[in-house]
Amino acid sequence: MKAALLGTLFLSDKRKNILMYLLDGHKNIDDIKDELATNTSAIMTQMKILMDQGLVTHNADFYELTTMGNVIVKKMKPLLDTLNVYGENKHYWETRDLRAIPSNLLDRFEEIGHSKLIEPDLSHLFEPPNELVESLKSTQHVMTFYSFFCPELPTTFTGLVKRGVSFELILTKSVFERLKDEFSEEYHIISGSDNGCLYICDDNIIKPATLVITDDLMLLSLFNEEGVFDHKKLISFDSCALQWAKELFEYYKNKAEK
């Protein structure tokens, strides 16, 4: 019985999609056909299996999860979401130093949602992604962590200051020292802003390479397993990813000195 139930839940994408869809509430056959872009016959074949396992019930013209089906599918969803996030950029995640993400946030890995992997070519290694450039043009607040010196940092943040954008900026001590020593004019504009806060963290802590959160975007870059920054970045526009990233930023802000 246990093996049959596990097979019902995980061995058919159609069944998984039906269960996930019914988690929102009861649906008629036309709703389900439109959602899955398939025909009635294909749905009914899977629906019979789900009903035989006690996961779905049929009342009048509607199908809905049983009480126990609702409990089980709610438990399924985080796992499926986690697998989707991992599978979407599998090679990236399996080659990262994930110690930079605290365990409580790693446990909520699925909240990153849909993300786009940016792999710049050699002629664009140090240029920010277009998505970030566009987002910075309209954002009213930005939270940024840099563990390496980005050539765009001084001009980007002086521009934000002049626009009145509020910001929180965490730099490692070595990056901070370079900004202060080699870009003194920009440093005084950034550090003297009434709309921003500048923080310094220890170079030796385990940390991400880059983290940026704007009003509508999260950018995350992690060092690879050898501790090398290979310029690969993930971008997500999902609201849950932004909240997840803000909590990651707060984690490192608490380790930094204002």
Side-chain angles (χ1 to χ4, degrees):
M1 178 64 184
K2 183 166 66 174
L5 182 56
L6 287 172
T8 298
L9 293 171
F10 293 106
L11 294 184
S12 164
D13 286 339
K14 279 193 177 70
R15 288 197 293 272
K16 284 188 289 188
N17 291 337
I18 289 170
L19 291 170
M20 290 299 115
Y21 187 48
L22 291 179
L23 195 55
D24 291 334
H26 66 262
K27 301 288 188 297
N28 62 36
I29 196 69
D30 289 331
D31 293 332
I32 299 169
K33 273 175 22 183
D34 291 344
E35 176 69 15
L36 272 63
T38 189
N39 57 56
T40 302
S41 176
I43 292 172
M44 293 310 299
T45 299
Q46 304 305 328
M47 201 65 80
K48 182 179 186 307
I49 297 172
L50 294 172
M51 293 173 70
D52 287 346
Q53 289 290 346
L55 300 170
V56 172
T57 187
H58 182 217
N59 295 308
D61 294 330
F62 295 95
Y63 292 90
E64 62 184 332
L65 296 174
T66 62
T67 300
M68 203 62 221
N70 191 64
V71 170
I72 291 170
V73 176
K74 281 183 177 177
K75 299 290 185 182
M76 281 176 62
K77 190 175 187 308
L79 173 59
L80 293 175
D81 289 346
T82 298
L83 293 174
N84 286 336
V85 173
Y86 180 66
E88 188 174 41
N89 295 293
K90 181 175 180 292
H91 181 69
Y92 180 81
W93 290 114
E94 68 186 5
T95 58
R96 298 302 102 183
D97 183 355
L98 297 177
R99 294 177 302 162
I101 302 175
S103 59
N104 65 311
L105 291 177
L106 204 54
D107 287 343
R108 291 160 47 201
F109 179 77
E110 74 277 5
E111 294 177 19
I112 293 173
H114 170 67
S115 59
K116 176 182 178 180
L117 180 62
I118 307 293
E119 299 183 80
D121 57 39
L122 289 175
S123 60
H124 298 88
L125 279 183
F126 295 99
E127 295 178 14
N130 290 333
E131 293 87 346
L132 177 59
V133 172
E134 291 303 311
S135 182
L136 287 173
K137 288 178 181 178
S138 59
T139 193
Q140 296 302 307
H141 183 73
V142 61
M143 307 163 79
T144 306
F145 181 104
Y146 280 121
S147 60
F148 64 93
F149 191 86
C150 173
E152 299 289 327
L153 190 162
T155 54
T156 295
F157 275 86
T158 53
L160 293 172
V161 170
K162 290 173 182 177
R163 278 178 43 215
V165 175
S166 64
F167 68 88
E168 294 175 276
L169 175 61
I170 306 174
L171 304 174
T172 58
K173 187 174 182 180
S174 57
V175 173
F176 169 79
E177 293 293 344
R178 184 175 176 190
L179 174 66
K180 185 169 62 115
D181 294 342
E182 298 182 27
F183 299 87
S184 59
E185 182 178 347
E186 291 89 344
Y187 164 73
H188 286 298
I189 292 172
I190 295 168
S191 61
S193 171
D194 292 332
N195 293 323
C197 292
L198 182 59
Y199 300 86
I200 307 170
C201 75
D202 193 328
D203 284 87
N204 296 318
I205 65 168
I206 297 171
K207 55 195 176 295
T210 318
L211 177 64
V212 184
I213 307 114
T214 68
D215 291 345
D216 65 355
L217 170 149
M218 174 206 80
L219 180 149
L220 174 65
S221 180
L222 299 172
F223 293 106
N224 67 20
E225 290 177 316
E226 288 74 43
V228 175
F229 175 54
D230 55 13
H231 297 273
K232 294 177 182 178
K233 309 169 184 72
L234 287 177
I235 286 179
S236 177
F237 292 93
D238 287 4
S239 58
C240 56
L242 269 66
Q243 180 57 44
W244 183 91
K246 287 176 182 177
E247 292 182 42
L248 180 59
F249 183 89
E250 289 295 326
Y251 172 81
Y252 282 101
K253 190 170 82 171
N254 289 334
K255 291 177 173 290
E257 179 182 353
K258 189 174 180 181

